[in-house]
Short mmCIF file of all heavy atoms in Angstrom, two decimals:
data_model
loop_
_atom_site.label_atom_id
_atom_site.label_comp_id
_atom_site.label_asym_id
_atom_site.label_seq_id
_atom_site.Cartn_x
_atom_site.Cartn_y
_atom_site.Cartn_z
N VAL G 7 40.54 -91.61 18.98
CA VAL G 7 41.67 -90.97 19.68
C VAL G 7 41.59 -91.24 21.18
O VAL G 7 42.60 -91.56 21.83
CB VAL G 7 41.72 -89.45 19.40
CG1 VAL G 7 42.68 -88.74 20.37
CG2 VAL G 7 42.15 -89.17 17.96
N LEU G 8 40.38 -91.14 21.75
CA LEU G 8 40.23 -91.42 23.19
C LEU G 8 40.71 -92.84 23.51
O LEU G 8 41.38 -93.07 24.51
CB LEU G 8 38.76 -91.26 23.61
CG LEU G 8 38.23 -89.83 23.71
CD1 LEU G 8 36.73 -89.86 24.02
CD2 LEU G 8 38.98 -89.02 24.76
N GLN G 9 40.38 -93.78 22.64
CA GLN G 9 40.76 -95.18 22.88
C GLN G 9 42.25 -95.41 22.64
O GLN G 9 42.88 -96.19 23.35
CB GLN G 9 39.93 -96.10 21.98
CG GLN G 9 38.46 -96.09 22.33
CD GLN G 9 37.62 -96.92 21.37
OE1 GLN G 9 37.96 -97.06 20.20
NE2 GLN G 9 36.52 -97.46 21.87
N LYS G 10 42.83 -94.72 21.66
CA LYS G 10 44.25 -94.93 21.33
C LYS G 10 45.17 -94.14 22.27
O LYS G 10 46.26 -94.61 22.60
CB LYS G 10 44.54 -94.48 19.89
CG LYS G 10 43.73 -95.20 18.84
CD LYS G 10 44.33 -96.53 18.46
CE LYS G 10 43.61 -97.10 17.24
NZ LYS G 10 44.08 -98.46 16.91
N GLU G 11 44.74 -92.95 22.68
CA GLU G 11 45.65 -92.07 23.41
C GLU G 11 45.33 -91.96 24.90
O GLU G 11 46.17 -91.51 25.68
CB GLU G 11 45.63 -90.66 22.77
CG GLU G 11 46.12 -90.66 21.32
CD GLU G 11 46.11 -89.29 20.67
OE1 GLU G 11 45.90 -88.28 21.39
OE2 GLU G 11 46.31 -89.21 19.44
N ILE G 12 44.12 -92.35 25.31
CA ILE G 12 43.74 -92.23 26.73
C ILE G 12 43.61 -93.60 27.38
O ILE G 12 44.31 -93.91 28.34
CB ILE G 12 42.42 -91.43 26.90
CG1 ILE G 12 42.51 -90.05 26.24
CG2 ILE G 12 42.06 -91.30 28.38
CD1 ILE G 12 43.57 -89.10 26.81
N HIS G 13 42.71 -94.44 26.86
CA HIS G 13 42.54 -95.78 27.43
C HIS G 13 41.93 -96.72 26.40
O HIS G 13 40.86 -96.44 25.86
CB HIS G 13 41.66 -95.73 28.68
CG HIS G 13 41.83 -96.94 29.56
ND1 HIS G 13 41.38 -98.19 29.18
CD2 HIS G 13 42.42 -97.10 30.76
CE1 HIS G 13 41.69 -99.07 30.12
NE2 HIS G 13 42.32 -98.44 31.10
N PRO G 14 42.58 -97.87 26.14
CA PRO G 14 42.09 -98.76 25.07
C PRO G 14 40.72 -99.38 25.35
O PRO G 14 40.03 -99.82 24.43
CB PRO G 14 43.17 -99.85 24.99
CG PRO G 14 43.91 -99.78 26.29
CD PRO G 14 43.83 -98.36 26.74
N LYS G 15 40.32 -99.43 26.62
CA LYS G 15 39.05 -100.10 26.97
C LYS G 15 37.88 -99.10 27.11
O LYS G 15 36.80 -99.46 27.56
CB LYS G 15 39.20 -100.87 28.28
CG LYS G 15 40.17 -102.06 28.19
CD LYS G 15 39.39 -103.35 27.97
CE LYS G 15 40.17 -104.63 28.13
NZ LYS G 15 41.50 -104.69 27.62
N LEU G 16 38.12 -97.84 26.75
CA LEU G 16 37.08 -96.81 26.90
C LEU G 16 35.91 -97.09 25.94
O LEU G 16 36.11 -97.28 24.74
CB LEU G 16 37.68 -95.44 26.57
CG LEU G 16 37.10 -94.22 27.27
CD1 LEU G 16 37.37 -94.28 28.78
CD2 LEU G 16 37.73 -92.95 26.70
N LYS G 17 34.69 -97.14 26.49
CA LYS G 17 33.50 -97.35 25.66
C LYS G 17 32.87 -95.99 25.36
O LYS G 17 32.53 -95.25 26.29
CB LYS G 17 32.50 -98.25 26.39
CG LYS G 17 33.01 -99.68 26.55
CD LYS G 17 32.11 -100.48 27.47
CE LYS G 17 30.82 -100.87 26.78
NZ LYS G 17 29.98 -101.73 27.66
N VAL G 18 32.74 -95.68 24.10
CA VAL G 18 32.27 -94.35 23.68
C VAL G 18 30.92 -94.48 22.99
O VAL G 18 30.71 -95.37 22.16
CB VAL G 18 33.29 -93.69 22.72
CG1 VAL G 18 32.83 -92.29 22.32
CG2 VAL G 18 34.68 -93.64 23.34
N ALA G 19 30.00 -93.57 23.32
CA ALA G 19 28.71 -93.49 22.61
C ALA G 19 28.68 -92.19 21.81
O ALA G 19 29.05 -91.13 22.33
CB ALA G 19 27.55 -93.52 23.60
N ILE G 20 28.26 -92.28 20.56
CA ILE G 20 28.05 -91.09 19.74
C ILE G 20 26.55 -90.88 19.63
O ILE G 20 25.83 -91.73 19.08
CB ILE G 20 28.71 -91.24 18.36
CG1 ILE G 20 30.24 -91.37 18.54
CG2 ILE G 20 28.36 -90.04 17.47
CD1 ILE G 20 31.00 -91.65 17.26
N VAL G 21 26.08 -89.80 20.23
CA VAL G 21 24.64 -89.48 20.26
C VAL G 21 24.42 -88.37 19.23
O VAL G 21 24.76 -87.21 19.46
CB VAL G 21 24.20 -89.05 21.67
CG1 VAL G 21 22.74 -88.62 21.67
CG2 VAL G 21 24.42 -90.20 22.67
N ASP G 22 23.87 -88.74 18.09
CA ASP G 22 23.77 -87.84 16.95
C ASP G 22 22.34 -87.33 16.82
O ASP G 22 21.45 -88.07 16.38
CB ASP G 22 24.22 -88.58 15.70
CG ASP G 22 24.36 -87.66 14.49
OD1 ASP G 22 23.77 -86.57 14.50
OD2 ASP G 22 25.05 -88.05 13.53
N LEU G 23 22.12 -86.06 17.20
CA LEU G 23 20.78 -85.47 17.12
C LEU G 23 20.70 -84.38 16.05
O LEU G 23 19.83 -83.52 16.10
CB LEU G 23 20.34 -84.95 18.50
CG LEU G 23 20.33 -86.00 19.63
CD1 LEU G 23 19.71 -85.41 20.89
CD2 LEU G 23 19.59 -87.27 19.22
N ASP G 24 21.62 -84.42 15.10
CA ASP G 24 21.45 -83.64 13.88
C ASP G 24 20.23 -84.22 13.15
O ASP G 24 19.92 -85.41 13.30
CB ASP G 24 22.71 -83.81 13.03
CG ASP G 24 22.75 -82.93 11.80
OD1 ASP G 24 22.08 -83.27 10.79
OD2 ASP G 24 23.46 -81.92 11.83
N VAL G 25 19.54 -83.42 12.35
CA VAL G 25 18.32 -83.90 11.70
C VAL G 25 18.61 -84.90 10.57
O VAL G 25 17.74 -85.63 10.13
CB VAL G 25 17.46 -82.72 11.19
CG1 VAL G 25 17.95 -82.23 9.83
CG2 VAL G 25 15.98 -83.09 11.13
N HIS G 26 19.87 -84.92 10.13
CA HIS G 26 20.26 -85.85 9.06
C HIS G 26 20.99 -87.04 9.68
O HIS G 26 21.78 -86.88 10.60
CB HIS G 26 21.19 -85.13 8.06
CG HIS G 26 20.57 -83.90 7.48
ND1 HIS G 26 20.96 -82.62 7.86
CD2 HIS G 26 19.57 -83.75 6.59
CE1 HIS G 26 20.23 -81.74 7.20
NE2 HIS G 26 19.38 -82.39 6.43
N GLN G 27 20.73 -88.22 9.16
CA GLN G 27 21.36 -89.41 9.73
C GLN G 27 22.89 -89.32 9.64
O GLN G 27 23.44 -88.85 8.63
CB GLN G 27 20.90 -90.69 9.01
CG GLN G 27 21.28 -91.94 9.80
CD GLN G 27 21.73 -93.12 8.94
OE1 GLN G 27 22.18 -92.96 7.82
NE2 GLN G 27 21.60 -94.31 9.50
N GLY G 28 23.56 -89.80 10.70
CA GLY G 28 25.02 -89.83 10.71
C GLY G 28 25.53 -91.02 9.92
O GLY G 28 26.09 -91.97 10.46
N ASN G 29 25.34 -90.96 8.59
CA ASN G 29 25.63 -92.13 7.74
C ASN G 29 27.11 -92.47 7.70
O ASN G 29 27.50 -93.64 7.77
CB ASN G 29 25.07 -91.91 6.32
CG ASN G 29 25.58 -90.65 5.65
OD1 ASN G 29 25.95 -89.67 6.31
ND2 ASN G 29 25.58 -90.64 4.33
N GLY G 30 27.96 -91.45 7.59
CA GLY G 30 29.40 -91.71 7.56
C GLY G 30 29.89 -92.33 8.86
O GLY G 30 30.67 -93.28 8.86
N THR G 31 29.41 -91.79 9.98
CA THR G 31 29.79 -92.31 11.30
C THR G 31 29.37 -93.77 11.44
O THR G 31 30.15 -94.62 11.88
CB THR G 31 29.12 -91.47 12.42
OG1 THR G 31 29.31 -90.08 12.14
CG2 THR G 31 29.70 -91.80 13.77
N ALA G 32 28.12 -94.07 11.06
CA ALA G 32 27.61 -95.44 11.15
C ALA G 32 28.46 -96.39 10.31
O ALA G 32 28.80 -97.50 10.74
CB ALA G 32 26.16 -95.48 10.69
N SER G 33 28.83 -95.94 9.10
CA SER G 33 29.60 -96.77 8.19
C SER G 33 31.01 -97.04 8.73
O SER G 33 31.48 -98.18 8.75
CB SER G 33 29.67 -96.10 6.82
OG SER G 33 30.55 -96.80 5.97
N ILE G 34 31.69 -95.99 9.18
CA ILE G 34 33.06 -96.14 9.69
C ILE G 34 33.10 -97.08 10.89
O ILE G 34 34.02 -97.89 11.04
CB ILE G 34 33.66 -94.76 10.07
CG1 ILE G 34 33.90 -93.90 8.83
CG2 ILE G 34 34.96 -94.92 10.86
CD1 ILE G 34 34.24 -92.44 9.12
N LEU G 35 32.09 -96.98 11.76
CA LEU G 35 32.13 -97.68 13.05
C LEU G 35 31.25 -98.93 13.10
O LEU G 35 31.04 -99.50 14.16
CB LEU G 35 31.72 -96.71 14.16
CG LEU G 35 32.61 -95.47 14.29
CD1 LEU G 35 32.01 -94.47 15.27
CD2 LEU G 35 34.02 -95.84 14.71
N GLN G 36 30.74 -99.37 11.93
CA GLN G 36 29.70 -100.42 11.95
C GLN G 36 30.17 -101.74 12.56
O GLN G 36 29.38 -102.50 13.11
CB GLN G 36 29.11 -100.64 10.57
CG GLN G 36 30.10 -101.13 9.53
CD GLN G 36 29.51 -101.16 8.13
OE1 GLN G 36 28.30 -100.99 7.96
NE2 GLN G 36 30.34 -101.38 7.12
#
C-alpha cells in the first residue's frame, strides 16, 4: 500500500521478531 498509494520507489523493510518465522510474508514477497 505504501508503494502503491504513497510513492512507487519506497523501499520497505519488514523486521519480523515474532518467535515464529514469517513464512507467509517471505513467500508473498520472495
Side-chain angles (χ1 to χ4, degrees):
V7 167
L8 286 175
Q9 294 175 330
K10 301 277 190 186
E11 298 180 10
I12 304 298
H13 199 290
K15 294 262 191 320
L16 210 66
K17 293 170 75 176
V18 182
I20 297 175
V21 176
D22 189 340
L23 303 187
D24 187 282
V25 83
H26 304 106
Q27 194 218 24
N29 56 334
T31 312
S33 173
I34 291 169
L35 300 172
Q36 63 188 350

